[in-house]
Amino acid sequence: MKSPFPGMDPYIESCGLWEDFHGHLIERVYEQIAQAVPDRYFVRSRERSYQVLIESEGKTKKPFAPDVKITSPASGKKPKKKSGGVAVAQPTTENEPLSLRAFIAEEHREKFVEIYEDDPDYPEMRLVTTIEVLSPSNKRPGTEGWNEYHSKRYSALLGDVHLVEIDLLRGGRRPLMRDPWPNSPYVFLVGRSDQDLRCQVWRGYFDRPLPTLTVPLTRPDKDIPLNLQPLIDRVYQLGRYGHAINYSKPLKPPLRGAEATWVKEQLRQWQNAK
């Protein structure tokens, strides 16, 4: 079953399917790039991980982010606070139980793709390009996910590594730029190591196919085209998302104006054609 949207389906983010979608899209990106690069390049799927104490972000539920798991058991109850601001109640005798807060950490795992070159001038394979599909945790300022990703992002943009950044999430805050991002639901960025922080940015929408990006290699090798739309369509079909998504539910974040009207009409036509 095809998606009702010619471009990106916003319900994948809204209906709790992002974790599954993110992992399979990374696999498809890896396959397309690995088949296209010249022989002296090597494409690898990598992963970074970090742990976040749930209470440090004020969360009471498991967050909506790719590859997240609870690494410490939870008691399911919160300690009561007294008026004096003391979180742990002190017992009156040695025989009464103490009230202690459980340490509940979440381990975030975020996959990405890297392209290496077998360069005789370097003792080891040289990292040329990194390709990132942003996760919700990368778009929450002040969190470990934001800090981890932005540290890598700055290193790539200020160093000699090309950066391809794919943002298929409407929620959260986009990475920081000196110029304003375009007013489109989705954005795609290519930062070349030799262009002095000048990045190419493409727009992405629901109502039209997503653009074909260019993945830079080492000069004079030509860029590798990355056609996202067929990859997304394939993940949608294999995952049978059309059967799993409840398109009658309101989108989160909500749509307004012309976008909301278009989506409503598009879903009506899609339902009638089924």
Side-chain angles (χ1 to χ4, degrees), residues 132-149:
E132 290 273 355
V133 178
L134 295 190
S135 301
S137 55
N138 305 144
K139 300 183 70 176
R140 288 197 293 264
T143 65
E144 190 71 17
W146 173 278
N147 295 335
E148 286 277 345
Y149 176 67

Side-chain angles (χ1 to χ4, degrees), residues 186-197:
Y186 311 108
V187 289
F188 314 100
L189 177 145
V190 174
R192 298 174 183 269
S193 61
D194 56 354
Q195 291 198 356
D196 193 26
L197 300 182

Side-chain angles (χ1 to χ4, degrees), residues 222-258:
K222 295 182 179 180
D223 294 349
I224 300 297
L226 178 57
N227 191 354
L228 286 173
Q229 195 62 59
L231 305 185
I232 290 172
D233 292 345
R234 186 60 175 160
V235 173
Y236 184 97
Q237 292 175 359
L238 290 176
R240 299 183 179 180
Y241 289 175
H243 299 285
I245 294 175
N246 184 353
Y247 286 105
S248 65
K249 290 186 175 181
L251 272 174
K252 297 179 183 180
L255 290 173
R256 295 179 177 85

Side-chain angles (χ1 to χ4, degrees), residues 255-266:
L255 290 173
R256 295 179 177 85
E259 284 186 335
T261 301
W262 184 89
V263 167
K264 183 177 180 180
E265 176 60 22
Q266 184 72 8

Side-chain angles (χ1 to χ4, degrees), residues 9-10 12 22 64 117 159 162 186 188 233 248 260 267 269:
D9 189 326
I12 293 175
H22 182 276
F64 177 50
E117 181 185 17
H162 306 303
Y186 311 108
F188 314 100
D233 292 345
S248 65
L267 290 175
Q269 295 181 14

Side-chain angles (χ1 to χ4, degrees), residues 42-67:
F42 300 87
V43 182
R44 298 290 183 262
S45 177
R46 302 296 191 188
E47 182 181 83
R48 62 176 166 269
S49 64
Y50 51 90
Q51 290 189 351
V52 177
L53 179 62
I54 292 180
E55 189 173 344
S56 69
E57 292 187 7
K59 292 197 277 287
T60 58
K61 295 182 179 179
K62 181 178 175 181
F64 177 50
D67 299 309

Side-chain angles (χ1 to χ4, degrees), residues 13 17 21 30 45 58 60 98 100 112 123-124 130 142 147 157 166 186 202 209 219 222 234 237-238 262-263:
E13 173 187 1
L17 291 169
F21 173 82
Y30 163 80
S45 177
T60 58
L98 293 170
L100 302 178
F112 52 92
E124 299 179 350
T130 182
N147 295 335
L157 291 173
I166 299 169
Y186 311 108
W202 289 260
R219 294 185 184 277
K222 295 182 179 180
R234 186 60 175 160
Q237 292 175 359
L238 290 176
W262 184 89
V263 167

